[in-house]
Amino acid sequence: MIGKVESFLKLELEKKNALLFVLIDSEVSNLEASSKLAQDVEKIGASAILVGGSSATDQIEMSQVVKGIKQGIKIPLILFPGNVTGVVPDADAILFSSLMNSENPYFITQAQALAAPSVAKFGLEPLPTAYLVVGDGTSAWFVGSARGIPFEKPKIAAAYSLAAQFLGMRFVYLEAGSGAKTNVTPEMVKTVRHTFNGFLIVGGGIKDVETAESLVKAGADALVIGTFLEEGGSLTKLEEIAKAIQRSK
Ligand code: 1GP
């Protein structure tokens, strides 16, 4: 069933060519900094805040950060769990993801089974997502025991995305990994776009307008940016990225 957050994202996508999601790692920024950051990025046009990541494992801290951020924003707060510890109350939705190209079944279905009762209990809207790790050497790749899809093999990413669609998943997240040196290529995004008829999220290593524009032109529906801000990137530049992707499809 399509819930409120998914409907909101679809509506946003009708108004804007592509959306900006900002990833906040609850273990990098403290509560105060995270709340302020979320409010600031909402003002410059971000459509959702993601909280989580594969290295965020302190559930108590995450819970506090989520609660704190939620009070100050109107855009959806979506959990982006790296494990069962990423499931906390007070968020609006969760990228209910299967790391489809993991070599460990735990990350494909077991963590999901362990987490599902809490997702229901906390009233989180599950966004059914195929999480595909591209390349190697990142935390998401290592922690998730992923057999990274080679950057230059877009057809493999497209095959996984089509499988995801056949399995009923409405979101695909092409992930190069947080702080990745190389982002997912526009060629891969284009190939997946031709195959996958759902909401296409792309993230990992995006820090400039040019890259962001090329990924959106290739067919990304939303870009996720995290490290750029963690490393002190300016809000002015993020706003330029937001404006560029909202008009460039
Ligand atoms: C990581 O895709 C997200 O899971 C965002 O990547 O931190 O490199 O922006 P960055």
Side-chain angles (χ1 to χ4, degrees):
M1 201 188 79
I2 293 179
K4 270 210 262 183
V5 173
E6 191 169 345
S7 304
F8 169 81
L9 295 177
K10 283 189 171 165
L11 210 66
E12 276 280 280
L13 208 47
E14 282 170 20
K15 290 189 255 170
K16 302 171 179 175
N17 288 318
L19 313 183
L20 171 68
F21 293 171
V22 170
L23 171 64
I24 296 180
D25 183 334
S26 49
E27 290 186 14
V28 171
S29 333
N30 63 26
L31 174 56
E32 210 178 307
S34 302
S35 302
K36 182 164 183 331
L37 180 61
Q39 288 171 22
D40 287 344
V41 301
E42 177 177 39
K43 277 190 210 124
I44 63 166
S47 298
I49 303 293
L50 302 188
V51 178
S54 47
S55 52
T57 50
D58 183 340
Q59 197 171 22
I60 296 170
E61 186 176 51
M62 188 179 302
S63 182
Q64 288 162 346
V65 167
V66 164
K67 200 171 182 174
I69 292 177
K70 181 65 199 149
Q71 287 165 355
I73 57 168
K74 290 199 181 70
I75 52 174
L77 196 165
I78 302 172
L79 299 176
F80 173 44
N83 209 325
V84 290
T85 48
V87 182
V88 296
D90 301 308
D92 298 296
I94 179 167
L95 290 180
F96 198 79
S97 312
S98 172
L99 204 176
M100 288 181 75
N101 61 322
S102 177
E103 292 192 312
N104 183 348
Y106 175 81
F107 291 104
I108 304 173
T109 55
Q110 194 179 352
Q112 293 73 5
L114 293 171
S118 302
V119 169
K121 187 172 169 186
F122 300 155
L124 302 167
E125 179 183 332
L127 305 173
T129 305
Y131 187 57
L132 302 177
V133 172
V134 182
D136 56 24
T138 60
S139 297
W141 166 83
F142 181 80
V143 175
S145 307
R147 191 154 57 99
I149 299 170
F151 282 100
E152 67 282 6
K153 296 285 181 193
K155 283 186 184 164
I156 297 180
Y160 270 100
S161 303
L162 188 59
Q165 186 175 307
F166 290 166
L167 286 164
M169 297 173 182
R170 298 189 292 274
F171 294 76
V172 160
Y173 190 147
L174 292 178
E175 172 70 282
S178 201
K181 290 192 188 83
T182 321
N183 53 276
V184 171
T185 64
E187 182 60 26
M188 183 178 278
V189 173
K190 201 170 158 191
T191 310
V192 169
R193 180 75 289 165
H194 280 144
T195 316
F196 175 64
N197 180 24
F199 195 98
L200 180 55
I201 305 171
V202 180
I206 304 168
K207 330 184 224 262
D208 58 73
V209 172
E210 208 183 22
T211 305
E213 272 187 327
S214 68
L215 294 169
V216 167
K217 274 188 188 135
D221 292 317
L223 302 183
V224 182
I225 295 186
T227 303
F228 169 76
L229 288 167
E230 278 170 20
E231 290 181 348
S234 77
L235 282 169
T236 318
K237 196 167 165 203
L238 189 74
E239 189 170 11
E240 281 171 28
I241 295 176
K243 287 205 169 119
I245 67 170
Q246 286 166 14
R247 64 157 187 254
S248 65
K249 204 174 200 173

